[in-house]
Structure formats: structure tokens, C-alpha cells
Amino acid sequence: EVQLVESGGGSVQAGESLRLACAASGLIFEDYAITWFRQAPGKEREAVSSIFISSGGTAYADSVKDRFSISSDNAENTVHLWMNNLKPEDTAVYYCAASLTTHVNGPLWVHSLRYNSWGQGTQVTVSS
């Protein structure tokens, strides 16, 4: 019943910015953590950033911490990922995933197997 829909991907040059959106439905938004993952061809899925809706707490992968920012629009049940100064290594399909917060507290947020609900993905391509 939980549905997640990503949008906002596209093709940009290195140094440019994009904003991704993850629209959630079929869940009590405040009970969840929403996390962005990405997967490039031939590579493992990587956790990028997470937001815990009820507290507003956030987490970031070291590779994006100084460039990306995650936020929630609770009135719209939507999470945004602001991606600045994009680099070619950011090229991937970006997915959002949802989990009850109790399953992903602390360092557990990076483990994809703990998330039961996933969006369809949106492609981000960064050229140099």
C-alpha cells in the first residue's frame, strides 16, 4: 500500500545542481524514515541521505555531505534531495525508500535490506 514516486532527475554538466523529490502515500508519514539510495551500472547500491520525518534528523554519506541536502515537506508528504556541485561520479539511478524509524535508527539507515518500500527510480546523469 505504501507508494513512493521519485522525480526530478535529468542530465546536467558537472558543477550544476538538481533537486529530486520523493512523494509518499499510503503511510503515516511521521512514523517513517525516508532514505535516498543510488545505484550506478555494475556497482552496489549506496545509501546517500536519510531524513527521519518525526524528528527532522538527517544523515548523509561522506561522499555527499558537503554538497547534498535533504528536507521534508510534511504538508505534501514529500522529501526533497537538493544536489549541488554535481560530479560525474554522482551518475546513477536514484531511489527513495521508506522504513519505520525503529528499523533504521543510528547507523542502520544505510542498510537497504531494512527498507520494505521503494520507488521506481529516477536517472541522474552528470557529464564532465
Side-chain angles (χ1 to χ4, degrees):
E1 187 175 354
V2 176
Q3 295 185 19
L4 306 173
V5 179
E6 303 98 330
S7 61
S11 297
V12 298
Q13 296 271 41
E16 295 182 345
S17 300
L18 285 171
R19 185 184 70 173
L20 304 184
C22 174
S25 61
L27 78 174
I28 301 174
F29 196 52
E30 293 79 10
D31 291 344
Y32 281 78
I34 305 295
T35 299
W36 287 95
F37 292 83
R38 65 187 181 188
Q39 189 162 22
K43 298 183 179 179
E44 297 297 313
R45 186 154 46 194
E46 175 189 22
V48 177
S49 184
S50 187
I51 185 165
F52 296 76
I53 303 302
S54 62
S55 69
T58 60
Y60 298 90
D62 288 344
S63 60
V64 307
K65 190 171 185 177
D66 296 327
R67 299 183 295 119
F68 291 10
S69 181
I70 193 168
S71 63
S72 64
D73 182 344
N74 294 2
E76 298 292 334
N77 283 14
T78 298
V79 168
H80 292 103
L81 183 68
W82 303 78
M83 305 188 296
N84 301 307
N85 191 24
L86 284 161
K87 302 176 179 180
E89 53 262 43
D90 296 318
T91 295
V93 177
Y94 284 70
Y95 300 90
C96 67
S99 176
L100 291 170
T101 58
T102 56
H103 296 163
V104 290
N105 290 139
L108 301 178
W109 73 273
V110 304
H111 298 296
S112 61
L113 290 176
R114 291 183 171 267
Y115 295 81
N116 291 323
S117 300
W118 293 80
Q120 83 287 353
T122 186
Q123 176 72 48
V124 172
T125 301
V126 185
S127 59
S128 60

